[in-house]
Amino acid sequence: EDDSAETREMALDLIRKSARQASARLQFARIAFGAAGSAGSTVDTGYAQQLTEQFVADEKVKLSWNTPRLYVEKNRVKLLMNLVVIALSSIPIGGTIEVRMEGDAENPVFHVDARGPKPRIPPHLIDLLQGKSESGAVDAHGFQLFYTGEIARASGMKVDVSLEDGLVRLVASPK
């Protein structure tokens, strides 16, 4: 309703920001939740870092990504990105997420630590990561957790979860 140049510029800035956010989320989802190439393909951890940084840019979270830049089997990179999504949900008020990697491209060990006020482990996380559900079904709230467990199993990894001293720690390592 306001035709002023200032209002028009504010509206255009809002549209640009929304488009950037949508694009970042779509690119992240394409790798973290999608097929991401043919079987046996690899993904650059530097590219995964870039997408993850864009994904969390508008969250109340500071991301610290400390992995070597390597080409890692795609399901293992998908697992890492999904662990970040779990970490993000474990600190709903905000905080910090630190991503680290030990080992090499063939035998990576991923550490994702989430620290913030009132950290929590999402309900039924352990069971859903193991492919179990109390009811036998997985609802919308638990699907991403269940999917992360499926990716871990498909890539020959196991995920350990702990909550200690205000820190939610997720560690994925080869079985």
Side-chain angles (χ1 to χ4, degrees):
E1 295 178 16
D2 185 354
D3 287 337
S4 73
E6 182 180 328
T7 302
R8 191 173 16 258
E9 188 57 36
M10 283 176 43
L12 289 173
D13 282 345
L14 181 60
I15 291 168
R16 281 192 219 55
K17 181 179 178 184
S18 295
R20 274 193 309 271
Q21 288 172 338
S23 176
R25 290 188 177 278
L26 182 61
Q27 289 178 47
F28 180 89
R30 193 180 121 258
I31 300 295
F33 309 125
S38 61
S41 66
T42 60
V43 176
D44 177 10
T45 56
Y47 182 58
Q49 175 183 356
Q50 175 188 3
L51 295 178
T52 305
E53 287 172 346
Q54 292 170 355
F55 181 76
V56 302
D58 294 315
E59 302 290 337
K60 297 175 263 181
V61 171
K62 181 179 182 287
L63 178 68
S64 171
W65 188 287
N66 301 303
T67 68
R69 189 158 191 170
L70 301 169
Y71 283 89
V72 177
E73 194 267 322
K74 74 172 180 177
N75 276 339
R76 290 182 172 186
V77 174
K78 288 169 67 168
L79 174 61
L80 177 59
M81 294 171 77
N82 275 273
L83 292 176
V84 172
V85 173
I86 294 171
L88 193 57
S89 70
S90 72
I91 49 174
I93 308 174
T96 61
I97 295 175
E98 181 182 1
V99 177
R100 298 182 323 277
M101 180 183 141
E102 296 173 355
D104 57 22
E106 286 77 36
N107 293 295
V109 177
F110 301 122
H111 298 267
V112 179
D113 294 342
R115 185 180 302 279
K118 300 181 183 179
R120 62 181 181 83
I121 294 177
H124 312 293
L125 172 63
I126 307 295
D127 287 341
L128 290 169
L129 283 175
Q130 294 173 352
K132 302 174 191 169
S133 169
E134 286 179 8
S135 67
V138 179
D139 65 11
H141 297 288
F143 182 78
Q144 192 272 327
L145 306 174
F146 182 83
Y147 177 71
T148 302
E150 289 293 311
I151 296 169
R153 285 184 289 287
S155 62
M157 305 276 283
K158 66 181 175 100
V159 178
D160 295 311
V161 181
S162 63
L163 173 61
E164 52 194 54
D165 300 324
L167 173 76
V168 173
R169 175 162 286 153
L170 304 160
V171 178
S173 57
K175 288 184 180 180

